[in-house]
Structure formats: structure tokens, C-alpha cells
Amino acid sequence: MITNQILLLLMLSILWPSAAALPFTPGNIGNLFGMPESDGRILQRSKRGWMWNQFFLLEEYTGNDHQYVGKLHSNMDRGDGNVKYVLTGDGAGTLFLIDEKSGDIHATKRLDREEKAMYTLHAKVLDRNTNAELEPDTEFNIKIHDINDNAPKFAKDIYFASVPEMSEVGTSVVTVTATDADDQTYGNSAKLVYSILQGQPYFSVDSENGTIKTALSGMDREVKENYQVVIQAKDMAGQMGGLSGTTTVSITLSDVNDSPPRFANHSFRVTAVESAEIGGAIGRIKADDPDDGRNAEMEYSIVGGHDTFNIITDQMTQEGIIVIKKALDYESKRDYEFRVEVKNTYLDARFIHGLQFKDYATVKVTVEDVDESPVFTRNPYIIEVHEDTAAGSFVGVVSARDPDADNKYSIDRHTDLERLFNIDSMNGTITTLKALDREMSKWHNISVVATEINNPRQTTRVPVFIKVLDVNDNAPEFAMSYDTFVCESIKAGELIQTISAVDTDEPLVGHKFVFSISASNPNFSIEDRDDNTANILTRRGGFSRREMSMYFLPVVISDNDYPIQSSTSTLIVRVCACDSQGKMQSCNPEVLPFSDGLTTGALVAILLCVIILLMIVVLFAALRRQRKKEPLIISKEDVRDNVVSYNDEGGGEEDTQAFDIGTLRNPEVMDANKLRRDIIPEMLFPFRRTSPIKDNTDVRDFITGRLQENDSDPTAPPYDSLATYAYEGSGSLAESLSSLESGATEGDQDYDYLSNWGPQFKKLAEMYIGKNSGLSS
């Protein structure tokens, strides 16, 4: 092949004579090649003569680094070197260089049309000596001609698509499109052709637009679900030498309902225990459907229904769950058999012709026996019995059924603490052990336990509610305690009290009480109001406390039930002095009625007395437990020493932090050699007394040292003890005042020196100098 460079040189050598004759003609090389102008014009007229306004340059030129673009020539150029050509515009000086003398234009590097397709430049002709413009500047273009240097590219490396299974041939799957950066308007560099490299014979591709279509009918997802298709896009219209790019398309066959459900085994056997609860599952069956998603959804049902079993569908596992509708009984029926149907819930009309999208299977259920607990015929039992029934009387019967074995009965004594009832262990007959009283308890709630004889762990209990029926065995009595009085000035026939009665019995027709008193009573009479109340009236007037301060009126109260019960209650009537309006003023205190019980005030008083007594006892005990603290100083007078205490140390002493040395006065705490009482030390540590620290060391440092010494002493007792420190401090002008270290007696001391110590010791000097003078005289 002849390269573009050779072709360029060949054409230039043939046409150069005519080209050289053209005046200032930029672009004449391109015109010599016969390349069309971009705007359709070939030549344009100017005062400089004829010129070309456009150059053409192939992109990605493979020749030398500096590519020759064209030549500029002006009529003012006589060839004597006085003319200078200057180039400005896009890329001038960088991408494009011009020979100042000859006007030749070169490209400095390879140009890419895809980066920029055209450059606009300006050419000037100057006088080399004066730099004056010999002609106006001229604009021209350098257009980059495209070459096929870009391969087609797809937007994605991998595409994903799906198409329904069993699709007809030619069904569109997906369209993949490639792009080519080359010039779409020039040549075939960007004209693409699509082809399929992998995926036949299942798929094909449209060579012009890249649409992938099915090429094979009857593709079954259940046989093969995923396909990898490789598509190629080639430029140059698919001719030899063109560039190409590829992409992969992953195609998945989506499911359609083309497969009916089928039982792998058309007979199932299930075992259930007779104690299984109603609604509980006893087994699962499953049909197979190779479809996916909703196309594989199934529904199970029992053909014709069943009164003991039902089947429901598990939507998660697509299984049929067999459940119990009615309690099973091994002793009644042990085997069941029914037919189950399964079918798809969603059907595709394209595939239902000629296929049965349902299947059938037979299910056999075997009931297993279990050791059951006894079952009572009723739950609970409600039994009625009259009160006052004699012990050993019949109350009722409970019965429990157990098909496995016989039962025995018992009463849970936690529910019959008074042991009022008994039960026959064999037949469940309940009788009384004691007479029942409805007024004490109207209901008795007991639990009866039925236990299997062969297996005592199998028990069942049932509540038995025994209602005690009423018998008229209680007489009526006053409803309350009455405080009745009569005024001395009362007249005959006046009302002094209204009474009522109560009866603990409950007759069916209600209470009806009859009140009466002795007809021979000269003081009071009774009037029955027919509403279970009665009025007490006076028969005479002129009652007197002096004659009789209290009257006892017996009142007979009877009921109307059978047998009739009656009682006599005594009404106490006090005679009191009253005002003109009949209000009680005073009564004889001796006749005040005694209460059957203590009043609230009396109870409160008794409670307060008890509380006060308890407080006195607690206080006395607390006082007894108090102990007096043992004084630190037993006596202020010590026969061994007589130290005068004063609380004025004097303003001039350096020992301003002296501590209380009163502890030195207690002989009981001076026993520093006392050892521990709980142990015997292996070796005895002698008592050590550290001498006072010199150089005016502060008392606190001395005490701290002694504290550490005592804390680390292994002979110290384990309980709290008093440690004494015989150190008063250092730095006093008077030195030590203690006579413990003095060799002379008090009478031998001369205290005149105290007057020389200063005003701080004036009082001390007066005391001791005066005392010394008295002794000497």
C-alpha cells in the first residue's frame, strides 16, 4: 500500500509548477490535492491576488515530528529576504510554526481531530527591516481530516436483560448501542455494524441498530435459565481493517406458568395421636412445580371436604398442612382416608390448552392411642342441698369417663378444710359429713379429683359448686338495739318508738313479720304497720321516775314461713324528764343501759394507755443501758507532783503550739509497757522513748513521729488505747517548768529570776516570788 505521506509527496511533485506560480496563496497545497473547501468556495478575490483560505491536514500523521502543512507566499516577496511572515491564532507558535523567510507552515506534533477538528489562524507579511505591514493580515483555517483511529465502545461492559421463556422467534430482548468518536460525516470511520460472536443459535442481533432478538423457539427456563451473549460493533461498515468493540449481555429467561404441579408420590400416610388438639397440624404433603414465583403458587384442598380433617396451604413453603377439625378418639375410629387436590392459583391462558394444571393424591391418617386423663361429663357441677341436712345425707354424683382404665374419686381437702363432705371413691357419690348451715355459708366450692387407677399421674379435677338451700330455722329479731324513752308528762296513745325486725332466713315469697305484746300490759301497746315495722304507743300518761325509772317491754316477733318461727325481744323504755316540746332533758343515770360491747372512745383510751406504758418501758431500758465515760484525769491533785496550771503562755514564747499535757496526769494511761492480751509475741520489744528533737523542731513533727512509732509497734494492743507524748515543745526562754526533772525541792527554788523574763511572766513571778517570801519569813 502507498502511505498517505508518499501519496502527498507524489501529488506535490506533479502539481508543484502550477502551485508555485500562485501569489500569496495559503492553502494552495490542499487545493492542489483537490480537497474541497469547508464553506464550498474554491477561491476568493483580494488585492493581493488569488489565495486559498483553508488547509487540510490528516490527524495522527505518522511521518516526521514536524508535519508540513502548507506554504504562504506574498507578491511583495521578491526573494531577497526582506519579507517576514508572521503567524497568529489558534496554536500559533506552539502547534503550528511558520518559516519567516519562506512562509512554510509546519505542525509541531500529531493532531487529534477528536480533540479539535479545526484551527483558525492569521497570517501577516512584514518588512523585515522596519516591521511595517506590507499587506493586511489574512485569516485562514487548518481543518483536521479524520482517520479511523477510534474503535467503537459500548456504554457498559455487561448488560443484563430478560425475556419470557417460550417466547416466539424474533422477540426483542434488549438493544445495545456502541459509539465511535470518529467523524460521523466523513467516510465510514464511524459507520458501525453489529454482529453476534457468542449466543447462537438462541439469539440474533440487528446489524444496524444492535437489537438482540430470540432466534430459537421453545426455550424452556426449566431446562436452561441463563445465557451469555457477546455482541461486536465494527466500524468501516464492517469492512476489513475496521476497528471493533465488544460487550457481554447476560440474558435470563423469565418464568411463565407452563408447568403444572405434580405429586411425586400419589399416596401419603400420616400418623396422629388421639390427644392432638383441634386446629393442630398432624402432617404435611407437597407437590412439585418447576415454575418460579407466583407461577409456582399452589392451593391444596380435600376433595368433597371432610368432617374431621382440613388442609391449608403454607404460602412460604407451598406445602399442604393437614389439621384437625374435630377431636380424635382411638377407641371410636382409628383410620381415615381422603383425597387431596392441588392446583396452581395463577394460570397462563397460553399454556392451559391440553394440560391439566392440577393433580391428586390420597392421604391415609392412622390414629394412635394415648393414655388419656379422665374426662368429667360436666364442668363444672352445680348441686343444691337443703341446710340442716343430717350427716351422711346424699348431695350429688360426679362422673368421669376414661376409655383406658377405671377411675377413683377424691375431694381436694384444700378446698374442704372443714371436712363437710365426703365422696365415694368408686362411684363419685358426694355425701355430707356434717350438718350444713346456710346462714354460715350459702355456697361451698370444692374440687373433685378423678385419678386413673393404673396410672396415678393421670388425673383430672373438676369444680363442684354446692348451694345450700334455706330452711326456716331462724326466728326474727330486732333489727337494731333501740334506746327508747318516755317523757314523764306524756299522754296516753302517743308514739314513743317504731321497731323493725330482721331474719337471716330467705323465704321464697319474702318476709312477713307479726309483732305483738301481752294484752294485759297497762303501760304500752303495739300497732303493726303491715310493712314489717310496728309502733310502740303509750296506754296511759303520768309516768314518774321516782316510781319506776325503767320498763321492760317484751315484744313477740313471728315470721310467716313454715315452720313458723318466733322470738321474744325485750324493749327497754326509760322514763325521762322532757321539755314542753317532748325533748329529753335528763334521765336517771342509774338506769342507763349497758352496752353489749365497748364503745369506740373506750377502745381508743385503752389503746393510748397501752402505748404510753410501752414508751415508759422503752425509755427506762434506754436509761439503764447508758454508761458514763471514764474521765481522762482521775484527780486534779496528784501526790507525785504539783503543777500550777495557767492558760496564759505569754506573748513572747516561741512555743505557741504547745499541747495539753493533762494526759500526763493520769497514772492509768502511763503504762506504756503493757503488752497485747490476745497473743504472746515471739520476742519482747523493749519500750523505747525517743528523746525530744533539738533545733526547735515543731511539736507536730514530734507527735507525727511518735504516732508512726506506735502504729508500727507489734506489741500494741488490738483495741483502741491512749498513747501519751511527754513533750511540751522546745524554744521557750524559761526552758522546762516541770519539777519532774528538777533535783531541788520546791522550797529550795529561787524564783527571783522570773521577774527578768519580761511582762509575759509578770503574773507568774508575783505568784512564786510572793510564795517564796512567805516561806522564807
Side-chain angles (χ1 to χ4, degrees):
M1 293 180 60
I2 302 176
T3 63
N4 293 335
Q5 184 178 7
I6 298 175
L7 182 61
L8 178 63
L9 295 176
L10 181 61
M11 295 181 67
L12 183 61
S13 61
I14 297 174
L15 299 176
W16 178 251
S18 58
L22 293 176
F24 187 45
T25 55
N28 58 356
I29 299 301
N31 191 53
L32 290 177
F33 291 162
M35 299 180 183
E37 304 283 340
S38 61
D39 56 359
R41 295 174 295 170
I42 303 301
L43 298 173
Q44 67 177 23
R45 181 69 176 172
S46 70
K47 66 180 182 177
R48 298 187 302 273
W50 294 97
M51 61 164 287
W52 303 99
N53 69 340
Q54 187 161 275
F55 290 103
F56 294 92
L57 183 65
L58 291 175
E59 67 169 336
E60 299 291 344
Y61 183 73
T62 58
N64 298 326
D65 289 341
H66 285 208
Q67 306 177 50
Y68 179 77
V69 178
K71 183 180 181 63
L72 297 178
H73 183 74
S74 173
N75 292 334
M76 303 297 294
D77 187 359
R78 306 300 181 185
D80 53 4
N82 292 327
V83 174
K84 181 173 69 172
Y85 295 94
V86 178
L87 190 66
T88 61
D90 292 342
T94 55
L95 295 178
F96 302 103
L97 300 177
I98 188 170
D99 191 321
E100 295 180 352
K101 296 181 179 181
S102 63
D104 294 338
I105 300 174
H106 293 83
T108 61
K109 67 175 184 179
R110 298 175 181 178
L111 302 179
D112 189 357
R113 187 201 66 84
E114 284 70 41
E115 293 181 2
K116 190 168 184 177
M118 187 173 65
Y119 297 87
T120 301
L121 296 99
H122 295 268
K124 292 183 180 181
V125 180
L126 304 177
D127 188 293
R128 184 177 297 275
N129 298 321
T130 63
N131 282 334
E133 290 189 3
L134 300 179
E135 293 186 13
D137 62 338
T138 300
E139 180 181 297
F140 65 95
N141 299 324
I142 299 177
K143 186 175 182 181
I144 310 302
H145 262 295
D146 183 52
I147 64 173
N148 189 22
D149 59 343
N150 291 280
K153 292 183 179 180
F154 288 93
K156 300 178 181 179
D157 294 333
I158 300 178
Y159 289 84
F160 296 93
S162 65
V163 63
E165 63 174 333
M166 299 296 178
S167 296
E168 296 180 356
V169 175
T171 302
S172 178
V173 179
V174 68
T175 299
V176 292
T177 305
T179 57
D180 196 324
D182 291 327
D183 193 354
Q184 302 284 340
T185 62
Y186 178 75
N188 294 329
S189 297
K191 187 175 182 180
L192 306 180
V193 174
Y194 298 90
S195 60
I196 184 168
L197 301 182
Q198 177 183 325
Q200 298 97 341
Y202 306 103
F203 300 96
S204 63
V205 65
D206 190 305
S207 61
E208 295 183 359
N209 55 28
T211 300
I212 301 173
K213 301 178 181 180
T214 58
L216 189 65
S217 62
M219 287 190 292
D220 192 353
R221 186 194 67 86
E222 288 73 35
V223 176
K224 185 177 181 181
E225 183 177 5
N226 297 310
Y227 296 85
Q228 299 293 326
V229 179
V230 179
I231 303 298
Q232 181 190 65
K234 190 173 183 181
D235 58 13
M236 297 300 292
Q239 298 176 5
M240 243 177 152
L243 304 178
S244 63
T246 60
T247 187
T248 301
V249 182
S250 178
I251 301 176
T252 302
L253 296 183
S254 60
D255 185 63
V256 297
N257 193 11
D258 59 339
S259 300
R262 290 289 182 263
F263 284 109
N265 186 1
H266 287 79
S267 179
F268 295 89
R269 183 172 294 276
V270 179
T271 302
V273 295
E274 62 174 334
S275 60
E277 297 180 356
I278 296 177
I282 62 172
R284 290 173 176 254
I285 63 174
K286 190 174 190 312
D288 297 325
D289 191 334
D291 293 323
D292 189 27
R294 70 171 185 171
N295 297 319
E297 293 179 359
M298 294 175 281
E299 181 181 9
Y300 297 85
S301 62
I302 296 178
V303 179
H306 202 277
D307 58 347
T308 306
F309 300 98
N310 190 21
I311 188 168
I312 58 177
T313 304
D314 188 336
Q315 299 297 332
M316 298 297 294
T317 62
Q318 296 301 313
E319 293 177 314
I321 305 174
I322 302 173
V323 297
I324 300 175
K325 290 172 57 178
K326 188 174 67 174
L328 303 178
D329 187 2
Y330 173 83
E331 288 72 24
S332 300
K333 189 174 182 179
R334 304 181 182 181
D335 297 297
Y336 297 87
E337 183 176 331
F338 49 86
R339 198 173 183 215
V340 174
E341 177 188 81
V342 62
K343 61 181 180 180
N344 283 129
T345 57
Y346 171 76
L347 299 178
D348 193 331
R350 296 176 298 172
F351 304 103
I352 60 177
H353 301 290
L355 287 176
Q356 286 289 334
F357 277 79
K358 61 178 65 176
D359 200 8
Y360 300 91
T362 301
V363 178
K364 296 180 180 180
V365 180
T366 301
V367 181
E368 292 183 347
D369 184 31
V370 295
D371 189 4
E372 301 166 291
S373 300
V375 179
F376 283 94
T377 56
R378 283 189 293 168
N379 189 2
Y381 286 87
I382 300 177
I383 302 174
E384 294 180 348
V385 61
H386 285 88
E387 65 175 330
D388 296 336
T389 300
S393 300
F394 174 80
V395 176
V397 178
V398 297
S399 177
R401 183 182 64 86
D402 190 343
D404 301 313
D406 295 331
N407 306 318
K408 61 179 181 179
Y409 303 92
S410 62
I411 295 176
D412 185 353
R413 290 304 174 186
H414 292 91
T415 61
D416 185 23
L417 297 176
E418 298 179 0
R419 301 186 68 86
L420 299 176
F421 303 97
N422 190 27
I423 189 170
D424 190 297
S425 62
M426 300 308 298
N427 57 28
T429 300
I430 301 175
T431 57
T432 59
L433 288 175
K434 299 178 182 178
L436 305 179
D437 188 358
R438 192 200 66 85
E439 284 70 39
M440 295 296 294
S441 179
K442 298 179 181 180
W443 287 89
H444 296 278
N445 304 330
I446 63 174
S447 292
V448 175
V449 180
T451 305
E452 189 177 304
I453 295 177
N454 298 333
N455 186 4
R457 291 179 297 180
Q458 292 291 351
T459 61
T460 305
R461 62 177 55 231
V462 67
V464 179
F465 303 121
I466 300 175
K467 182 179 181 181
V468 182
L469 301 178
D470 184 49
V471 174
N472 191 25
D473 57 348
N474 292 281
E477 57 186 10
F478 280 151
M480 57 183 294
S481 177
Y482 295 102
D483 183 13
T484 306
F485 69 93
V486 60
C487 296
E488 292 180 313
S489 59
I490 197 169
K491 297 179 180 180
E494 291 191 14
L495 174 66
I496 62 172
Q497 183 70 60
T498 298
I499 61 176
S500 62
V502 292
D503 193 342
T504 55
D505 294 324
E506 291 183 359
L508 297 177
V509 294
H511 290 292
K512 175 60 180 175
F513 301 127
V514 178
F515 301 89
S516 63
I517 60 175
S518 174
S520 61
N521 191 311
N523 300 311
F524 305 99
S525 64
I526 191 167
E527 180 184 20
D528 197 332
R529 302 177 61 183
D530 295 330
D531 60 354
N532 293 334
T533 63
N535 293 333
I536 305 298
L537 307 174
T538 58
R539 276 193 172 185
R540 67 178 179 88
F543 290 92
S544 175
R545 286 182 293 168
R546 294 179 181 179
E547 296 178 0
M548 181 71 70
S549 61
M550 183 181 300
Y551 292 90
F552 296 93
L553 180 62
V555 179
V556 179
I557 309 174
S558 303
D559 57 21
N560 64 335
D561 204 354
Y562 180 82
I564 295 176
Q565 301 286 341
S566 63
S567 66
T568 300
S569 299
T570 301
L571 182 68
I572 302 174
V573 182
R574 295 181 294 145
V575 180
C576 301
C578 303
D579 58 10
S580 59
Q581 297 179 355
K583 295 182 179 180
M584 181 179 63
Q585 290 183 336
S586 64
C587 298
N588 191 345
E590 296 179 359
V591 299
L592 289 176
F594 291 94
S595 177
D596 294 338
L598 295 175
T599 62
T600 303
L603 292 175
V604 172
I606 294 174
L607 182 61
L608 289 175
C609 291
V610 172
I611 294 175
I612 292 173
L613 289 175
L614 290 176
M615 293 178 61
I616 293 174
V617 172
V618 173
L619 182 60
F620 179 75
L623 292 175
R624 289 288 302 272
R625 291 179 180 177
Q626 287 186 349
R627 297 181 183 274
K628 296 182 179 180
K629 295 182 179 179
E630 183 181 358
L632 182 62
I633 305 298
I634 296 178
S635 175
K636 293 184 178 179
E637 298 294 335
D638 194 333
V639 297
R640 296 173 297 172
D641 197 0
N642 186 11
V643 179
V644 178
S645 301
Y646 65 96
N647 23 359
D648 185 6
E649 296 180 345
E653 283 191 287
E654 296 180 8
D655 182 17
T656 59
Q657 299 184 11
F659 65 101
D660 185 8
I661 64 173
T663 56
L664 300 175
R665 311 295 300 165
N666 190 356
E668 294 184 5
V669 300
M670 295 298 293
D671 189 5
N673 293 324
K674 187 180 295 184
L675 301 179
R676 297 178 61 168
R677 299 177 181 178
D678 56 342
I679 61 172
I680 299 176
E682 296 180 0
M683 59 179 296
L684 296 178
F685 291 83
F687 176 75
R688 300 181 301 273
R689 179 182 299 274
T690 307
S691 60
I693 305 174
K694 304 297 182 180
D695 301 329
N696 297 327
T697 303
D698 189 58
V699 178
R700 185 182 297 121
D701 296 336
F702 171 73
I703 295 176
T704 302
R706 293 298 304 276
L707 281 174
Q708 294 178 355
E709 179 181 339
N710 281 273
D711 290 340
S712 59
D713 189 358
T715 62
Y719 43 82
D720 292 338
S721 61
L722 179 64
T724 61
Y725 310 114
Y727 178 53
E728 295 178 331
S730 60
S732 175
L733 295 174
E735 298 181 350
S736 177
L737 298 179
S738 175
S739 62
L740 298 177
E741 299 177 0
S742 175
T745 62
E746 186 176 353
D748 299 332
Q749 295 290 335
D750 185 6
Y751 298 102
D752 293 336
Y753 61 87
L754 294 177
S755 58
N756 299 326
W757 286 0
Q760 294 87 351
F761 296 93
K762 180 179 180 182
K763 183 177 179 180
L764 184 63
E766 292 176 356
M767 292 173 57
Y768 279 86
I769 294 175
K771 182 178 180 182
N772 190 28
S773 300
L775 293 175
S776 60
S777 62

